[in-house]
Amino acid sequence: MNTQVLLKERPVGSPTTDTWDITQSEIPKATDGTFVVKIEYVSLDPAMRGWISNAKSYLPPVAIGEVMRAGTIGKVIESKHDDYQVGDIVTGWMGVQQYAVSDGSNGAMKLDTFGLPLPKFLGVLGMPGLTAYFGLLEVGEPKEGETVVVSGAAGAVGMVVGQIAKLKGCRVVGIAGGEEKCNYCVNDLGFDACVDYKGGNLYKELKAACPKGIDVYFDNVGGEILDTALALLNFGGRIPICGAISQYNNRDNVQGPKNYLSLLVNRGRMQGFIVLDYAKKYRHAFQEMAGWMMEGKLKSREHIEEGIENFQDTLMRLFSGDKKGKLVLKVND
Ligand SMILES: NC(=O)c1ccc[n+]([C@@H]2O[C@H](COP(=O)([O-])OP(=O)(O)OC[C@H]3O[C@@H](n4cnc5c(N)ncnc54)[C@H](OP(=O)(O)O)[C@@H]3O)[C@@H](O)[C@H]2O)c1
């Protein structure tokens, strides 16, 4: 049988078990021009909170009764499509379910995994890694010797941002929740410093970690942390607005930046971006990042939960921070 997670109702505030219907149906069959994927891993992304909201966004909301949108990776088990053969590893937007039928149009892409674990293709070598690459290099435009600060530093996007900034010769300071995550950023990923925003006085500690101020602040979280970074911004500073996870369950009362006049005084720039805008350049970025990975210059860790029935609990780990690295859910053996 095919277990699927469908959107039952739009949550007010945080999603709950009432948000979802977990249903079972027959495993789909391939018809002419389609193939069936046995999904192995589902990606858990903060954007999911936005996709189940009715607010205007860059993608249409998931409809009530529809399979929850999600990035996935799995194996083709049946094919009547000329370009896909049984056994191919395929990534794409196939949703929170165990099996999906595709005509190749839902972002489906065949992968050569070079023997790497599949979850890496939902993280460092997938959408979050590409987000880090384009957001930092094309929006943040870091220059050698500059100070780059990234929030959500130990997460899927943040850990890649910091490592690419190091490769570009920058001083890199992370902001993460807790000592373990900060130690990971410094000791394993090579960041110059990392500030635990749950630990004490963020402004004081960030200022001490950035003695020359902040040239690029890559914002994954918004709220108070964005305000603190704005207060330390240098002349000509850039702030790629990647996300604002601290505000996602609070959409009717989003906390905007109080310190935005820092942009005026410093002739700074704050710019939002969506990774999908760079789709034409994905291949080049993917190749460059895969190269760095093979050379040992780009590391990652993945946090794997198991069981499609645990989707809601796993999703909430994004907001509590109770996870280490890119969060994925294993939905099939
Ligand atoms: N623009 C785009 O195209 C694009 C694409 C992908 C992702 N994004 C955005 O990028 C950001 C990071 O995504 P990700 O996939 O890498 O997630 P992630 O960092 O792997 O997971 C989310 C992390 O956010 C932190 N967090 C949660 N609530 C917080 C709060 N109130 N204040 C501060 N930190 C909080 C937690 O880390 P701690 O334990 O450190 O608190 C948690 O582990 C999200 O905002 C996401 O929406 C944007």
Side-chain angles (χ1 to χ4, degrees):
M1 298 297 281
N2 182 21
T3 303
Q4 301 178 303
V5 175
L6 315 181
L7 179 63
K8 185 161 97 186
E9 59 182 38
R10 299 195 190 285
V12 177
S14 296
T16 67
T17 47
D18 290 340
T19 307
W20 317 105
D21 252 339
I22 299 185
T23 63
Q24 290 204 318
S25 54
E26 295 288 320
I27 295 172
K29 297 243 172 287
T31 51
D32 281 349
T34 71
F35 56 96
V36 178
V37 178
K38 180 178 180 185
I39 295 169
E40 294 193 23
Y41 296 95
V42 165
S43 177
L44 278 290
D45 293 289
M48 286 173 152
R49 180 62 190 87
W51 297 337
I52 57 176
S53 151
N54 250 337
K56 179 173 179 281
S57 190
Y58 57 95
L59 286 176
V62 177
I64 302 293
E66 195 180 347
V67 174
M68 179 57 197
R69 181 182 296 143
T72 58
I73 189 162
K75 201 179 268 183
V76 176
I77 56 166
E78 188 196 355
S79 181
K80 293 186 179 171
H81 190 299
D82 292 343
D83 298 337
Y84 294 85
Q85 273 73 52
V86 170
D88 284 347
I89 299 293
V90 175
T91 180
W93 296 99
M94 306 216 183
V96 186
Q97 55 185 338
Q98 290 180 299
Y99 297 88
V101 67
S102 171
D103 62 3
S105 65
N106 43 357
M109 194 167 72
K110 273 199 295 195
L111 285 179
D112 186 342
T113 62
F114 307 105
L116 289 169
L118 297 189
K120 291 210 184 288
F121 294 89
L122 297 178
V124 57
L125 294 176
M127 186 275 287
L130 293 166
T131 302
Y133 184 98
F134 292 111
L136 179 68
L137 298 180
E138 302 230 356
V139 185
E141 299 180 16
K143 293 170 197 65
E144 197 176 338
E146 287 190 329
T147 297
V148 173
V149 173
V150 57
S151 52
V157 174
M159 64 181 155
V160 181
V161 169
Q163 291 179 87
I164 297 178
K166 280 306 297 177
L167 285 167
K168 298 295 171 189
C170 299
R171 173 174 174 78
V172 175
V173 178
I175 302 174
E179 203 180 329
E180 192 280 338
K181 289 185 181 181
C182 280
N183 286 341
Y184 172 70
C185 289
V186 174
N187 300 334
D188 293 62
L189 303 181
F191 289 22
D192 297 285
C194 184
V195 176
D196 172 8
Y197 73 93
K198 293 178 176 168
N201 183 325
L202 177 63
Y203 176 78
K204 213 170 116 198
E205 289 176 30
L206 193 58
K207 191 169 182 210
C210 303
K212 294 184 182 167
I214 300 174
D215 299 296
V216 178
Y217 169 57
F218 191 105
D219 189 23
N220 282 318
V221 304
E224 301 285 335
I225 296 177
L226 170 58
D227 265 326
T228 308
L230 273 165
L232 294 168
L233 198 68
N234 284 338
F235 187 89
R238 288 83 70 201
I239 303 185
I241 298 291
C242 177
I245 192 166
S246 72
Q247 305 300 312
Y248 288 173
N249 287 317
N250 183 25
R251 292 183 93 85
D252 292 336
N253 192 20
V254 170
Q255 180 186 333
K258 289 194 284 270
N259 287 336
Y260 80 97
L261 288 181
S262 170
L263 297 173
L264 184 152
V265 174
N266 292 304
R267 285 70 144 183
R269 166 163 64 81
M270 201 155 101
Q271 185 185 328
F273 72 96
I274 296 292
V275 63
L276 303 173
D277 300 342
Y278 299 92
K280 288 196 179 125
K281 299 185 186 177
Y282 281 177
R283 185 169 293 277
H284 169 77
F286 176 85
Q287 281 167 350
E288 187 162 25
M289 289 204 291
W292 287 334
M293 192 162 226
M294 297 300 176
E295 292 166 28
K297 294 176 179 165
L298 185 58
K299 297 179 186 160
S300 70
R301 64 179 178 181
E302 292 74 34
H303 180 122
I304 301 170
E305 291 290 316
E306 292 198 16
I308 191 165
E309 66 285 359
N310 296 321
F311 171 69
Q312 162 64 18
D313 288 349
T314 308
L315 180 66
M316 293 318 290
R317 287 175 186 268
L318 290 171
F319 301 99
S320 66
D322 182 15
K323 62 156 191 83
K324 292 175 181 168
K326 167 64 198 167
L327 186 60
V328 298
L329 184 62
K330 192 170 193 305
V331 297
N332 259 311
D333 293 330

